[in-house]
């Protein structure tokens, strides 16, 4: 019956499409793309009218009078226009919104000319404005969706046994995390891919926490957090070291927006949907030129009794809108599921219900060939869309009703998935929620798609042992070293797992009970609010009986004073000797002494990170915020009892202390370069050495004090560091 009804609807839709003249408008006149699509309905009153050519358009040939709008209720309407930065898209903006329920007759007169001299012929088409405001339908949909997710959580909630973190924390100053902050626990740490994890952990109703955007290091320590008053999602780094996150409200979606921040965490832009649509928090994709893809949900009243036997005549059906906007917030491209999908394409959907969500787009991105890729959860489908024309290029999913691919080795497929994307090797990754697997379980998957022959091969998948199941949210990101970072979604305590190509766990993070995440990103990051003179301090080989100090200089690069309230590290071999807090005026610096003193810790290689924290309040001084900067610390110990033996087989510096002249002898290899640094980390002398196992160094012009002699030997990766006292 469903297939019969779908064929009937498709036939009617095709007939209306032909009658609308859309084939004439787009096929015979040379326009590559027209929005709204001729003959379309349920268009917002704020809609712009866009035309795109396959070649550049002469700006001098454009005129606002070229477009005539005759509205069935509003009468004639004038337009402003802009030629987009791509030089191919003309956007006409009516001087006022259209009226609900009216039909718009569009005439674009002959005269627009391309660079090649082609003059575009006149075209005429129409579209229909929706009957009424639908923001209340959208709010009700979001409320119902949240209740559905919470119902699943309540019915499946378990109280977990929290594992102990693999690393202890050594703190300095007033190191206090807010009482409503969700502190994670690292339960596996085995050489994860470098970088920071960006996330928006979200507490369920009743959990004793607030919403935060966070940047975490490999130990789970925050180098940034920002408390927020509403729900947040998809906090991540974008181009030019900017940050972005979505702030949204389910009961009041009209306030939804994307915030853009610079690397000093200042708010510099706000992104909205165009054409009267409301931001949805499920997806964004930022491009280097400032263009961005956004998602909106579009509920419309539909008489489902004419679509499906027993359907509700007053149903609210939720469509999907994809837009590409430029850096000036112009809508360059708009794609609507109403024009390309059938309502009955949804899987496991009750078509007799009062509210029907048949698409539920939950990710949007670009493919390697610059086409649009979306994940359609309720259709069990990943869809590729032509970014220039809006045509559907293919539909992929073992269980999707319109799947176009043959699966060579996968009988499971993905079910109600999230986070579809194409990765650098050309394959496609998906987070498979596995809602309708038997039994349900979640996993990350990777497919090799032959887009010419339409075949799909499963080349990798990972499910946790024991199995983890999240009915909603989640992500599967491939890292540059071929590791995979999986966010498990609406579940706890395990939130994120990083595995290598052999599915061995490299890193795992737990959150407290009733805290979950939508996605997680592993990215590089350094704040621009304040800087350090070191990214890494390598103390070299330690063979002494006293601490080795190095001074870290922090420079305040902001327009306001900052206070380093606290600091932390993990290994007792390193310590901060400077008392905190320390306030730094704008554009000023302060010094912080970091010691390496591995007394009694045996012979080993040490690697740690020290974090300098600036804690403050944001907004009306009620929202907690932390901004931090980290310095990596390295050093290697040698048992002091074997110093003499070490000197004989390694490198010697004599005399020490010295009044000026120093002799350097190497027993391990030819000396290649000698660098002298003070305790501030400043290089005060650097001497290349042509060859030889001995070298005389004159330090007579240096002030008395402590210096570090770094000796680079040929064919040795690590420098040998000697502490020297000049007096």
């Amino acid at each position: 019956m469903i297939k019969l009804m779908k064929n009937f609807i498709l036939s009617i839709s095709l007939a209306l499409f032909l009658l609308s003249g859309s084939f004439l408008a787009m096929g015979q006149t040379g326009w590559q793309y027209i929005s709204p699509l001729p003959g379309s309905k349920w268009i917002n009153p704020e809609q712009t009218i866009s035309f795109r050519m396959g070649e550049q358009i002469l700006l001098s040939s454009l005129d606002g009078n070229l477009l005539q709008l005759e509205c069935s209720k509003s009468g004639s309407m004038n337009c402003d226009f802009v030629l987009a930065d791509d030089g191919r898209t003309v956007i006409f903006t009516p001087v006022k919104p259209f009226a609900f329920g009216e039909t718009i007759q569009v005439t674009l007169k002959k005269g627009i000319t391309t660079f090649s001299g082609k003059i575009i012929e006149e075209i005429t088409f129409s579209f229909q404005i929706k009957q009424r405001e639908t923001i209340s339908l959208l709010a009700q949909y979001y409320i119902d969706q949240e209740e559905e997710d919470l119902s699943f959580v309540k019915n499946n909630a378990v109280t977990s046994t929290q594992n102990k973190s693999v690393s202890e924390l050594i703190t300095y100053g007033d190191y206090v995390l807010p009482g409503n902050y969700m502190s994670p626990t690292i339960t596996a740490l085995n050489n994860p891919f470098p970088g920071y994890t960006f996330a928006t952990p979200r507490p369920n109703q009743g959990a004793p926490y607030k919403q935060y955007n966070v940047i975490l290091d490999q130990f789970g320590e925050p180098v940034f957090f920002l408390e927020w008053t509403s729900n947040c999602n998809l906090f991540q780094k974008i181009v030019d070291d900017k940050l972005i996150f979505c702030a949204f409200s389910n009961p009041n979606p009209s306030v939804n927006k994307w915030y853009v921040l610079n690397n000093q965490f200042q708010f510099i832009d706000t992104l909205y949907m165009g054409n009267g649509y409301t931001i949805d928090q499920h997806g964004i994709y930022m491009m280097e030129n400032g263009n961005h893809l956004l998602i909106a949900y579009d509920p419309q009243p539909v008489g489902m009794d004419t679509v499906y036997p027993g359907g509700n005549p007053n149903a609210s059906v939720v469509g999907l809108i994809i837009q590409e906007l430029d850096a000036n917030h112009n809508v360059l491209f708009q794609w609507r599921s109403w024009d390309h999908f059938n309502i009955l394409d949804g899987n496991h959907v009750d078509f007799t219900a009062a509210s029907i969500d048949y698409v539920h787009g939950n990710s949007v991105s670009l493919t390697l060939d610059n086409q649009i890729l979306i994940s359609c959860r309720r259709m069990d489908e990943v869809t590729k869309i032509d970014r220039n024309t809006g045509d559907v290029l293919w539909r992929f999913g073992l269980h999707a009703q319109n799947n176009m691919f043959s699966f060579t080795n996968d009988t499971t497929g993905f079910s109600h998935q999230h986070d579809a994307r194409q990765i650098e090797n050309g394959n496609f990754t998906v987070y498979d929620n596995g809602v309708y697997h038997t039994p349900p379980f979640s996993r990350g998957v990777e497919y090799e798609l032959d887009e010419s022959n339409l075949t799909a091969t499963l080349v990798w998948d990972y499910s946790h042992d024991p199995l983890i199941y999240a009915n909603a949210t989640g992500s599967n990101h491939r890292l540059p070293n071929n590791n995979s970072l999986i966010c498990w979604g609406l579940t706890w305590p395990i939130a994120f797992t990083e595995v290598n190509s052999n599915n061995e766990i490299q890193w795992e993070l737990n959150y407290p009970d009733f805290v979950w995440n939508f996605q997680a990103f592993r990215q590089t990051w350094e704040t621009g609010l304040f800087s350090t003179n070191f990214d890494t301090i390598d103390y070299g080989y330690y063979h002494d009986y006293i601490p080795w100090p190095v001074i870290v200089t922090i420079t305040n690069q902001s327009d306001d004073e900052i206070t380093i309230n606290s600091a932390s590290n993990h290994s007792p071999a390193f310590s901060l000797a400077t008392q905190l807090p320390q306030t730094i005026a704008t554009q000023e610096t302060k010094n912080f002494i970091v010691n390496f003193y591995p007394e009694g810790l045996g012979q080993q290689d040490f690697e740690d990170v020290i974090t300098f924290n600036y804690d403050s309040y944001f907004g009306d001084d009620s929202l907690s915020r932390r901004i931090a900067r980290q310095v990596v610390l390295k050093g290697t110990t040698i048992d002091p009892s074997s110093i003499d033996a070490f000197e004989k087989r390694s490198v010697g510096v004599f005399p020490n202390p010295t009044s000026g002249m120093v002799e350097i002898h190497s027993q391990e290899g030819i000396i290649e370069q000698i660098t002298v640094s003070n305790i501030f980390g400043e290089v005060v002398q650097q001497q290349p050495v042509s060859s030889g196992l001995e070298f005389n160094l004159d330090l007579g012009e240096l002030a008395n004090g402590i210096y570090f002699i770094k000796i680079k030997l040929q064919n040795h990766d690590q420098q040998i560091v000697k502490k020297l006292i000049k007096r």
Side-chain angles (χ1 to χ4, degrees):
M1 176 62 76
I2 291 179
K3 287 186 177 180
L4 180 62
M5 292 300 299
K6 288 179 69 174
N7 290 336
F8 172 75
I9 293 170
L10 182 60
S11 299
I12 295 297
S13 300
L14 182 59
L16 291 173
F17 188 72
L18 288 167
L19 289 172
S20 72
S22 58
F23 284 146
L24 176 64
M26 298 180 66
Q28 297 182 9
T29 63
W31 289 109
Q32 190 179 63
Y33 161 83
I34 296 175
S35 177
L37 197 66
S40 57
K41 59 181 180 179
W42 298 327
I43 301 297
N44 281 342
E46 300 88 351
Q47 178 72 41
T48 57
I49 297 96
S50 301
F51 302 85
R52 177 180 297 150
M53 288 297 297
E55 56 180 306
Q56 300 285 304
I57 294 172
L58 284 173
L59 178 60
S60 59
S61 70
L62 296 177
D63 188 320
N65 295 323
L66 285 172
L67 190 75
Q68 291 184 345
L69 299 179
E70 294 296 332
C71 312
S72 61
K73 293 183 179 180
S74 305
S76 299
M77 193 176 297
N78 295 325
C79 293
D80 298 321
F81 76 92
V82 63
L83 179 63
D85 289 342
D86 64 6
R88 301 185 298 120
T89 306
V90 187
I91 305 167
F92 292 91
T93 303
V95 294
K96 64 179 182 179
F98 299 116
F100 288 119
E102 68 177 342
T103 299
I104 312 302
Q105 188 75 20
V106 180
T107 300
L108 183 62
K109 296 179 181 179
K110 179 179 179 179
I112 295 180
T113 306
T114 68
F115 271 40
S116 66
K118 180 180 179 180
I119 300 175
I120 309 303
E121 297 295 328
E122 179 177 301
I123 61 169
T124 300
F125 62 93
S126 65
F127 59 87
Q128 293 181 345
I129 304 301
K130 65 184 181 182
Q131 294 297 315
R132 65 179 181 88
E133 184 57 70
T134 54
I135 190 69
S136 60
L137 297 179
L138 184 61
Q140 189 59 54
Y141 164 77
Y142 281 134
I143 292 171
D144 292 344
Q145 188 67 43
E146 184 175 38
E147 289 179 353
E148 180 181 325
D149 291 340
L150 291 176
S151 175
F152 171 84
V153 169
K154 291 175 182 177
N155 293 333
N156 296 273
V158 294
T159 301
S160 65
T161 301
Q162 292 288 338
N163 294 322
K164 186 178 180 180
S165 178
V166 297
S167 174
E168 299 295 333
L169 194 66
I170 302 169
T171 63
Y172 312 90
D174 187 19
Y175 186 95
V176 178
L177 291 170
N180 59 14
Y181 176 78
M182 300 156 281
S183 294
T185 302
I186 304 300
T187 58
L189 183 59
N190 181 28
N191 193 32
F193 182 75
Y196 295 97
T197 301
F198 290 65
T200 48
R202 192 180 308 171
N204 277 338
Q205 292 179 358
Y209 310 109
K210 295 295 185 180
Q211 175 73 73
Y212 279 84
N213 296 301
V214 300
I215 305 176
L216 306 173
D217 71 4
Q218 64 178 354
F219 300 103
E221 285 303 302
V223 298
F224 173 76
F225 59 65
L226 176 63
E227 183 184 358
W228 205 252
T229 55
S230 66
N231 289 333
C232 296
N233 209 15
L234 291 175
F235 178 52
Q236 60 190 286
K237 187 179 82 168
I238 55 175
V239 295
D240 298 328
D241 278 341
K242 296 175 184 175
L243 303 170
I244 195 166
F245 70 92
C246 184
F248 67 98
S249 167
N250 288 330
N252 186 19
S254 60
V255 303
N256 294 0
K257 57 181 70 71
W258 291 93
Y259 287 111
V260 182
L261 295 74
N262 63 18
N263 67 357
Q264 293 194 3
F265 301 100
Q266 298 167 325
F267 288 73
I268 59 174
D269 200 1
T270 306
L271 306 182
Y272 299 92
M273 295 288 288
N275 295 342
Y277 292 101
T278 300
I279 285 287
D280 179 78
Q281 47 91 13
H282 278 92
I284 188 170
Y285 185 87
M286 298 295 298
M287 305 171 211
E288 291 188 1
N289 64 355
N291 287 14
H292 45 283
L293 299 173
L294 298 177
I295 284 177
Y297 285 3
D298 183 32
Q300 296 294 338
V302 177
M304 284 298 294
D305 57 331
T306 66
V307 177
Y308 186 81
N312 189 321
N314 300 305
S316 173
V317 180
V318 183
L320 175 68
I321 310 297
I322 305 294
Q323 288 182 352
E324 179 179 348
L325 298 94
D326 64 17
N328 297 315
H329 303 176
N330 297 308
V331 179
L332 299 179
F333 174 85
Q334 179 171 288
W335 185 94
R336 307 186 324 142
S337 64
W338 305 115
D339 301 323
H340 301 275
F341 290 161
N342 191 295
I343 294 173
L344 300 184
D345 288 347
N347 277 346
H348 306 284
V349 174
D350 181 2
F351 294 112
T352 66
S355 178
I356 297 171
D357 180 10
Y358 74 105
V359 184
H360 198 93
N362 56 32
S363 74
V364 61
S365 61
L366 287 185
T367 58
L368 298 181
D369 57 355
N370 283 314
Q371 308 300 350
I372 295 173
L373 193 73
I374 60 174
S375 167
C376 305
R377 170 176 165 88
R378 293 297 174 92
M379 295 161 54
D380 296 326
E381 176 179 308
V382 174
T383 312
K384 185 175 181 180
I385 299 166
D386 191 304
R387 186 176 163 203
N388 288 306
T389 67
D391 295 337
V392 172
L393 298 175
W394 48 249
R395 305 175 73 170
F396 165 61
L398 181 65
H399 305 295
Q401 295 189 42
N402 296 276
N403 171 54
M404 298 167 60
F405 285 77
S406 298
F407 286 73
T408 63
N409 64 341
D410 182 22
T411 59
T412 302
F414 48 80
S415 172
H416 277 35
Q417 77 291 337
H418 282 74
D419 189 33
R421 61 185 66 221
Q422 188 175 24
I423 58 178
E424 288 188 2
N425 65 6
N427 292 345
F428 292 79
T429 57
V430 174
Y431 180 68
D432 173 20
N433 289 87
V435 175
Y436 290 96
H437 294 338
T438 305
F441 70 96
S442 301
R443 60 179 182 154
V445 294
E446 176 187 353
Y447 290 94
E448 180 182 353
L449 299 186
D450 183 334
E451 298 184 61
S452 298
N453 297 310
L454 298 179
T455 60
T457 302
L458 180 68
V459 296
W460 171 86
D461 71 321
Y462 174 77
S463 54
H464 201 277
D465 183 14
L467 291 175
I468 292 175
Y469 171 56
N471 76 313
T473 74
S475 61
N476 172 23
H477 292 178
R478 183 59 47 83
L479 303 177
N481 68 343
N482 210 35
N483 285 6
S484 294
L485 177 65
I486 297 175
C487 167
W488 293 104
L490 189 57
T491 185
W492 56 81
I494 300 176
F496 314 137
T497 302
E498 179 185 340
V499 296
N500 63 18
S501 57
N502 296 319
N503 284 353
E504 298 165 330
I505 294 178
Q506 306 297 289
W507 182 78
E508 195 157 82
L509 180 146
N510 288 14
Y511 263 114
D513 290 345
F514 303 101
V515 175
W516 55 279
N517 291 261
F518 184 82
Q519 284 196 27
F521 302 85
R522 179 70 53 76
Q523 298 173 298
T524 59
W525 178 250
E526 280 186 348
T527 177
L529 192 75
F530 58 95
S531 63
T532 57
N533 59 328
F534 289 104
D535 292 322
T536 300
I537 300 174
D538 189 345
Y539 289 86
Y541 292 104
Y542 176 90
H543 49 96
D544 211 334
Y545 300 93
I546 61 174
W548 283 12
V550 170
I551 290 183
V552 175
T553 301
I554 294 181
T555 302
N556 178 5
Q557 299 178 149
S558 73
D559 295 329
D560 301 297
E561 73 173 22
I562 65 172
T563 298
I564 304 301
N565 318 85
S566 65
S568 66
N569 66 287
H570 304 270
S571 169
F574 303 96
S575 62
L576 178 66
T578 304
Q579 293 295 310
L580 300 179
Q582 294 285 332
T583 298
I584 309 175
T586 178
Q587 306 303 319
E588 296 295 327
T589 65
K590 280 206 171 177
N591 296 326
F592 298 78
I593 299 174
V594 180
N595 286 328
F596 180 42
Y597 188 36
E599 183 183 21
L601 298 178
Q603 301 180 41
Q604 59 177 299
D605 294 325
F606 292 92
E607 183 165 342
D608 197 2
V609 61
I610 186 166
T611 307
F612 296 94
N613 301 313
Y614 166 43
D615 293 338
S616 62
Y617 290 98
F618 174 78
D620 59 356
D621 289 341
S622 64
L623 300 176
S624 299
R625 182 180 69 171
R626 167 170 291 180
I627 301 173
R629 191 78 181 242
Q630 293 190 318
V631 176
V632 175
L633 308 174
K634 296 181 179 181
T636 301
T637 54
I638 294 176
D639 191 336
S641 64
S642 62
I643 288 178
D644 292 340
F646 174 78
E647 294 288 4
K648 290 179 181 179
R649 70 173 185 269
S650 180
V651 174
V653 177
F654 309 98
N656 189 5
T658 182
S659 60
M661 291 300 298
V662 174
E663 296 180 7
I664 300 175
H665 302 269
S666 170
Q667 299 293 327
E668 286 203 346
I670 295 174
I671 301 172
E672 188 174 81
Q673 182 170 279
I674 296 172
T675 303
V676 183
S677 302
N678 60 23
I679 60 173
F680 296 95
E682 299 168 335
V683 175
V684 295
Q685 190 169 329
Q686 192 168 55
Q687 184 70 50
V689 180
S690 57
S691 63
L693 301 176
E694 298 181 0
F695 188 79
N696 293 328
L697 188 65
D698 186 0
L699 304 180
E701 295 185 0
L702 297 182
N704 292 343
I706 297 175
Y707 295 90
F708 291 94
I709 313 295
K710 294 185 178 181
I711 303 154
K712 177 69 173 66
L713 303 180
Q714 287 185 7
N715 303 319
H716 283 64
D717 293 332
Q718 188 170 11
Q719 296 185 94
I720 296 172
V721 181
K722 299 287 186 178
K723 187 182 71 173
L724 178 74
I725 299 174
K726 180 173 184 290
R727 63 187 182 189

